[in-house]
Amino acid sequence: MSAQERLTDALYGLGWSTVKKLPEPVAVRLGRSVADLAWKRRGKGVRRLESNYARVLPDASPERLAELSRAGMRSYLRYWMESFRLPAWSAERVAGGFEPKDLHHLTDGIDSGRGVVLALPHMANWDLAGAWVTTALRTPFTTVAERLKPETLYDRFVAYREGLGMEVLPHSGGTAFGTLARRLRDGGLVCLVAERDLSASGVEVDFFGDTARMPAGPALLAQQTGALLLPVTLWYDDSTVMRGRVHPPVEVPVTGTRAEKTSVMTQELADAFATGIADHPEDWHMLQRLWLADLEPRPSDGDAA
């Protein structure tokens, strides 16, 4: 393990061991202070966030984009402060911490026994949404986590999410899809963060007027298992409660090849994500490159990633 990896692991460990012990108002102020400091430094993540917001709001002025990126960093640090504290939250605090609209799409799907795939973008706090599902709805679910470096950091994330009631599968290894399919055929729930896939198997979609690549997994799982596919978007307001919306189901097309059906369904997911992101762009935490046109650095981008 390199010195940088050891430092990264130690900082995350410090967050989970220390921040969760802070009074909530202190944690909120700390998160906002760290966010503002990071925003003022204008590192590559902040610059990329601002560039991505420019895709969402192409007519926004530089001043508006700067204001939005500051709000975006505050939202991002709110996510981290909440995540560090979630293991210490009571069941009542978790159950009262999220209010989704149109929840009937999810509860009806669970009751049907056909299995449900929830697909989300990186908005607000998807971990809190997951903890709410296991707590308020008393419904376990399975998700997938990217293997992080160092391995000890990945283990921390797995332990954290398992502690919230999730079954966590590694993204690599080739067995995750089969396990997810089995869970769905048994009538289970699968939750996947699904708006960024830079692999060769990703599906090209139109996203805010340009081409991006999103994972095929949610659409393929729905096709192969008969599970319901539901997009979900999340956002914060000025309260301590996170908001969200369960969008109408993405249906499997009646005709077409598997690839054609997957393309149509993934585009529908992208459209649902775009609706939620356009309404609440500051709560979309995309600090990495997403659009294919941005994957090759341009001179004006510097080292933004």
Side-chain angles (χ1 to χ4, degrees), residues 15 19 27-28 30 32 100 106 120 135 150 159 165 170 225 233 275 287 300 303:
V19 174
V28 170
L30 175 61
R32 179 162 291 199
L106 174 56
L120 306 87
T135 302
T225 68
T233 52
T275 297
L287 279 71
S300 61
D303 62 348

Side-chain angles (χ1 to χ4, degrees), residues 142-221:
T142 305
T143 189
V144 174
E146 180 182 357
R147 280 204 174 275
L148 303 171
K149 291 184 179 180
E151 189 75 13
T152 50
L153 180 57
Y154 170 77
D155 291 341
R156 286 186 192 276
F157 272 96
V158 170
Y160 157 63
R161 290 184 169 128
E162 287 180 343
L164 299 177
M166 312 176 193
E167 178 188 22
V168 184
L169 306 176
H171 186 272
S172 58
T175 61
F177 188 91
T179 302
L180 295 174
R182 287 193 295 273
R183 299 292 183 270
L184 292 168
R185 291 191 181 101
D186 289 339
L189 178 64
V190 165
C191 299
L192 301 170
V193 179
E195 93 279 32
R196 185 174 187 261
D197 185 348
L198 304 182
S199 71
S201 61
V203 178
E204 291 190 4
V205 296
D206 179 85
F207 197 53
F208 291 103
D210 210 341
T211 304
R213 195 177 287 135
M214 296 188 179
L220 287 173
L221 285 167

Side-chain angles (χ1 to χ4, degrees), residues 75-147:
S75 176
Y76 184 49
L77 263 295
R78 176 173 171 175
Y79 157 73
W80 278 113
M81 291 298 108
E82 286 180 349
S83 294
F84 287 142
R85 293 171 53 76
L86 263 176
W89 282 15
S90 66
E92 292 76 17
R93 176 71 176 87
V94 172
F98 179 41
E99 290 186 0
K101 298 179 180 179
D102 299 327
L103 183 62
H104 65 278
H105 292 307
L106 174 56
T107 54
D108 289 350
I110 292 172
D111 292 343
S112 74
R114 62 184 284 193
V116 178
V117 180
L118 294 179
L120 306 87
H122 289 79
M123 292 188 76
N125 191 338
W126 46 96
D127 286 328
L128 172 56
W132 184 89
V133 167
T134 62
T135 302
L137 299 186
R138 299 183 180 179
T139 302
F141 67 88
T142 305
T143 189
V144 174
E146 180 182 357
R147 280 204 174 275

Side-chain angles (χ1 to χ4, degrees), residues 275-292:
T275 297
I277 292 168
D279 288 342
H280 306 279
E282 68 279 5
D283 293 315
W284 186 41
H285 308 151
M286 184 51 62
L287 279 71
Q288 299 84 26
R289 299 180 189 275
L290 178 69
W291 284 271
L292 301 190

Side-chain angles (χ1 to χ4, degrees), residues 238-265:
D238 293 332
S239 74
T240 59
V241 179
M242 184 176 71
R243 312 296 174 176
R245 179 188 175 196
V246 183
H247 295 252
V250 173
E251 302 291 347
V252 177
V254 175
T255 62
T257 65
R258 185 174 69 171
E260 289 168 343
K261 292 178 180 180
T262 300
S263 178
V264 170
M265 295 173 71

